[in-house]
Amino acid sequence: MEEKQSASLERRSAVATLLQDIDDNTLLVASVGTPTLDVAAASERPQNFYGRGAMGTASSVALGLALAQGEKRVIAVLGDAELLMTAGTLATIAVMAPENLSLVVIDNERYGETGLQIAATAFGVDIAGMAAAAGLSPTAVIRTEADLHGALDAIRIGPGPSLHVIKVRPEKPEKVPLAYDGVYLKNRFRRALFGDEGIT
Ligand SMILES: Cc1ncc(C[n+]2csc(CCOP(=O)(O)OP(=O)(O)O)c2C)c(N)n1
């Protein structure tokens, strides 16, 4: 396949739009590296679970969380390489079909965190198409501000499991200060959900 180049959206502002005034009933899962820092830059809060270092795990974590926390909305903000690393999870999500789960793929067509090496979606691999074929609904590719605003309700409150791909420019945004201690972040998240009884 040939390499393609198209996106004009900037990832930090797209994620800020996505998460603007997000409510306490929404749990956020963010994948390793740049998506984690996108989410932290937009809305750092205890109800966020960050995949610090653990590439490939975020869609499964988000699925489990959506099933276990059926009264909450779960939005997973994922890298394209992250999603593809464990793409079989799309099948499990389709079969389990939690309506409260929204996957949002920040698709820069690169392994951004490790130096912007070219990744599969640059050659036309269609993550939204893969998700639709698995059975997720709705699915869509977002390329403009207007597309993004048009998809906000579907992502934030609409029935899922959904998957939206946001095509963004391949940039390396600034680092954001955020704890790197996974146990601390996990305990903080559990405390936000269950209070002190959630800490074992
Ligand atoms: C199992 C595993 N493999 C590789 C890495 C190194 N790694 C961290 S982030 C990353 C690239 C992630 O790319 P993507 O998910 O598309 O996110 P982006 O930074 O491009 O937004 C890689 C290869 C890792 N942390 N864990």
Side-chain angles (χ1 to χ4, degrees):
M1 280 192 247
E2 279 180 34
E3 193 182 325
K4 299 182 179 172
Q5 184 56 264
S6 51
S8 62
L9 286 172
E10 192 272 312
R11 61 187 301 155
R12 283 282 150 87
S13 68
V15 174
T17 299
L18 175 69
L19 301 182
Q20 189 170 18
D21 299 325
I22 202 78
D23 63 47
D24 285 351
N25 199 47
T26 299
L27 306 175
L28 301 176
V29 176
S31 72
V32 59
T34 329
T36 274
L37 298 186
D38 295 336
V39 168
S43 183
E44 216 297 89
R45 65 213 250 287
Q47 299 93 338
N48 297 353
F49 188 83
Y50 299 106
R52 284 301 218 179
M55 189 171 172
T57 58
S59 57
S60 309
V61 168
L63 169 60
L65 201 51
L67 292 171
Q69 297 289 317
E71 303 302 312
K72 309 260 187 202
R73 165 67 49 159
V74 176
I75 301 178
V77 180
L78 311 169
D80 50 284
E82 157 84 25
L83 189 285
L84 288 175
M85 189 171 184
T86 45
T89 305
L90 291 175
T92 314
I93 290 171
V95 170
M96 300 306 290
E99 286 201 359
N100 57 334
L101 177 59
S102 305
L103 305 183
V104 180
V105 178
I106 309 300
D107 184 4
N108 60 354
E109 305 185 350
R110 299 289 188 281
Y111 298 89
E113 181 66 16
T114 47
L116 291 169
Q117 299 90 353
I118 298 279
T121 53
F123 299 89
V125 171
D126 175 7
I127 291 176
M130 291 168 65
L136 278 72
S137 178
T139 64
V141 180
I142 290 167
R143 296 181 187 278
T144 66
E145 290 283 345
D147 291 348
L148 180 57
H149 283 279
L152 285 181
D153 278 357
I155 295 170
R156 291 170 56 134
I157 57 174
S162 65
L163 183 143
H164 290 77
V165 171
I166 305 179
K167 287 284 187 182
V168 298
R169 294 198 298 261
E171 300 168 314
K172 194 103 176 87
E174 278 184 19
K175 294 283 181 195
V176 176
L178 179 69
Y180 211 102
D181 182 335
V183 174
Y184 162 76
L185 289 168
K186 186 250 319 183
N187 285 341
R188 189 181 74 151
F189 182 73
R190 289 185 61 89
R191 188 175 279 115
L193 274 177
F194 308 118
D196 284 343
E197 287 175 16
I199 312 303
T200 52

